[in-house]
């Protein structure tokens, strides 16, 4: 694959035909092989000190998320308070990487977090469907950025992608990236709607070529969200993209990651696929809402030998 990548990436994106030729020239995914490898890595046993390290690392990678139509300023302030003090009774507990909210609640989150090193991420571009005109999507991004968003999570036009209109998807990502200014851009592929692993690989490369800082699996709003095999394909893509271009891109699985066991499986997958360079919040995130509670309970069990139960943590 890397030998097929031209010295000048602009060549790949110079036309619809060139983009299509490149994306369809990527090696096909061995479905059975990808699923078998992901399942095998998911059985790795992590114990004692390594598990304690993994729990703290996973906490530091969480994008603590609330994306409901019933979200209120009070709920966002409560979530921010939890990010600032995940376990008030245990000093040294890591903070999540970011709070993720809708654009109209970014200012509330920024105010609640103050100067703390917790990012504010905002979904945008007519999340979760992405069904809107480009000017509407860019206005959505501008609203979030003006309110102080550090990161923008955009959704691609899956209809355009599945129709083979790759240039349209590429151009839209480029426009959104420009509208982000200094904010980092996460490109949501909505892998549950892409049907095949080959499409996941193509969409990953398309997002990276267009300027994504992160590629993200899902909105959390469809039946199938993050899975280990899909994340494996995306991690292979960022690994190969860095080898080809020298540019490192982050990965964010989101949706359905609820337990410490789930989170550790993803960390093993990162280490064994992309490598340890990706094992930081700068390059790997976990989009979740309930995961933090389970990590905190497991962290307490590691420290005390006792399982505290759900009453030990706040209810989100």
């Amino acid at each position: 694959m890397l030998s097929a990548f031209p010295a000048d990436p602009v060549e790949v994106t110079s036309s619809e035909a060139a983009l299509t030729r490149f994306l369809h020239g990527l090696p096909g995914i061995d479905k059975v092989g990808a699923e078998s490898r992901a399942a095998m890595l998911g059985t790795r046993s992590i114990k004692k000190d390594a598990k304690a390290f993994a729990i703290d690392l996973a906490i530091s990678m969480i994008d603590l998320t609330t994306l409901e139509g019933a979200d209120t300023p009070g709920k966002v302030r409560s979530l921010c308070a939890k990010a600032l003090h995940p376990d008030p009774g245990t000093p040294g507990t890591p903070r999540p990487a970011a709070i993720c909210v809708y654009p109209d609640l970014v200012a509330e989150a920024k105010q609640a977090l103050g100067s703390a090193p917790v990012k504010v991420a905002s979904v945008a571009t007519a999340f979760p469907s992405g069904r809107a005109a480009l000017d509407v999507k860019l206005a959505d991004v501008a609203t979030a950025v003006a309110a102080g968003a550090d990161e923008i999570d955009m959704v691609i036009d899956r209809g355009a992608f599945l129709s083979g209109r790759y240039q349209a998807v590429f151009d839209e990502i480029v426009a959104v990236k420009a509208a982000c200014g200094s904010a980092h851009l996460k490109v949501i592929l909505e892998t549950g709607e892409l049907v095949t692993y080959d499409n996941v690989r193509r969409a990953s490369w398309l997002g990276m070529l267009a300027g994504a800082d992160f590629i993200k699996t899902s909105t959390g709003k469809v039946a199938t969200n993050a899975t280990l095999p899909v994340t494996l394909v995306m991690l292979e893509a960022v690994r190969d993209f860095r080898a080809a271009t020298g540019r490192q891109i982050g990965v964010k699985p989101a949706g359905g990651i609820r337990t410490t066991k789930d989170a550790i499986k993803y960390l093993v997958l990162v280490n064994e696929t992309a490598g340890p360079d990706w094992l930081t919040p700068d390059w790997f995130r976990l989009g979740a809402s309930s995961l933090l509670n389970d990590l905190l309970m497991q962290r307490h069990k590691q420290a005390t030998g006792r399982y505290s139960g759900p009453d030990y943590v706040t209810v989100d």
Side-chain angles (χ1 to χ4, degrees):
M1 177 173 60
L2 300 181
S3 61
F5 195 83
D8 181 6
V10 175
E11 180 184 332
V12 168
T13 59
S14 60
S15 68
E16 182 85 71
L19 197 51
T20 300
R21 186 163 53 249
F22 174 76
L23 294 177
H24 284 265
L26 294 170
I29 301 292
D30 176 355
K31 182 177 185 293
V32 173
E35 292 176 353
S36 297
R37 178 165 172 75
M40 181 271 291
L41 291 173
T43 64
R44 292 278 177 87
S45 180
I46 307 295
K47 297 186 182 299
K48 296 184 178 178
D49 290 348
K51 185 174 182 180
F53 174 79
I55 288 171
D56 278 7
L57 182 58
I59 291 172
S60 76
M61 291 173 164
I62 290 177
D63 281 2
L64 194 56
T65 301
T66 183
L67 295 170
E68 302 299 331
D71 284 345
T72 63
K75 182 176 182 182
V76 170
R77 288 194 298 271
S78 176
L79 206 64
C80 290
K82 185 164 187 173
L84 293 174
H85 306 287
D87 187 353
T90 308
T93 304
R95 290 170 170 164
I99 293 288
C100 186
V101 296
Y102 278 111
D104 62 312
L105 291 166
V106 168
E108 198 72 45
K110 290 294 286 187
Q111 183 179 38
L113 291 170
S115 60
V118 178
K119 306 291 187 184
V120 175
S122 174
V123 295
T125 64
F127 177 95
S129 69
R131 309 308 306 180
L134 179 58
D135 59 344
V136 174
K137 294 181 180 182
L138 295 179
D140 206 18
V141 175
T143 296
V145 171
D150 303 295
E151 301 172 352
I152 297 295
D153 290 26
M154 72 165 286
V155 288
I156 67 165
D157 183 337
R158 282 87 75 193
F161 179 87
L162 292 170
S163 300
R165 292 184 287 123
Y166 302 130
Q167 191 73 49
V169 179
F170 176 86
D171 290 344
E172 188 166 278
I173 297 170
V174 169
V176 171
K177 175 65 175 174
C180 286
S182 62
H184 280 198
L185 176 63
K186 303 193 200 88
V187 175
I188 306 171
L189 310 181
E190 198 66 290
T191 54
E193 294 183 343
L194 296 187
V195 185
T196 69
Y197 294 134
D198 287 344
N199 277 341
V200 172
R201 173 171 279 175
R202 290 171 188 147
S204 297
W205 274 83
L206 185 58
M208 293 186 293
L209 286 167
D213 297 297
F214 264 76
I215 50 174
K216 176 178 171 182
T217 61
S218 323
T219 63
K221 303 296 185 182
V222 298
T224 303
N225 294 294
T227 67
L228 288 170
V230 156
T231 306
L232 170 67
V233 171
M234 292 169 66
L235 287 165
E236 289 176 342
V238 298
R239 178 199 65 198
D240 294 342
F241 187 81
R242 188 178 73 170
T245 68
R247 189 160 71 90
Q248 187 164 339
I249 308 296
V251 175
K252 177 181 172 180
I257 305 170
R258 298 185 177 89
T259 69
T260 299
K261 184 179 290 186
D262 291 337
I264 290 175
K265 287 179 181 180
Y266 279 95
L267 297 185
V268 170
L269 195 69
V270 173
N271 188 64
E272 296 297 322
T273 306
D277 286 355
W278 271 265
L279 280 176
T280 81
D282 290 336
W283 302 111
F284 191 74
R285 299 282 183 85
L286 296 162
S289 53
S290 60
L291 172 62
L292 179 57
N293 281 354
D294 194 70
L295 287 165
L296 292 173
M297 288 188 290
Q298 291 295 332
R299 189 177 194 271
H300 190 253
K301 182 182 179 183
Q302 288 287 115
T304 67
R306 300 187 305 275
Y307 187 73
S308 301
D311 291 341
Y312 177 74
V313 293
T314 58
V315 177
D316 298 329

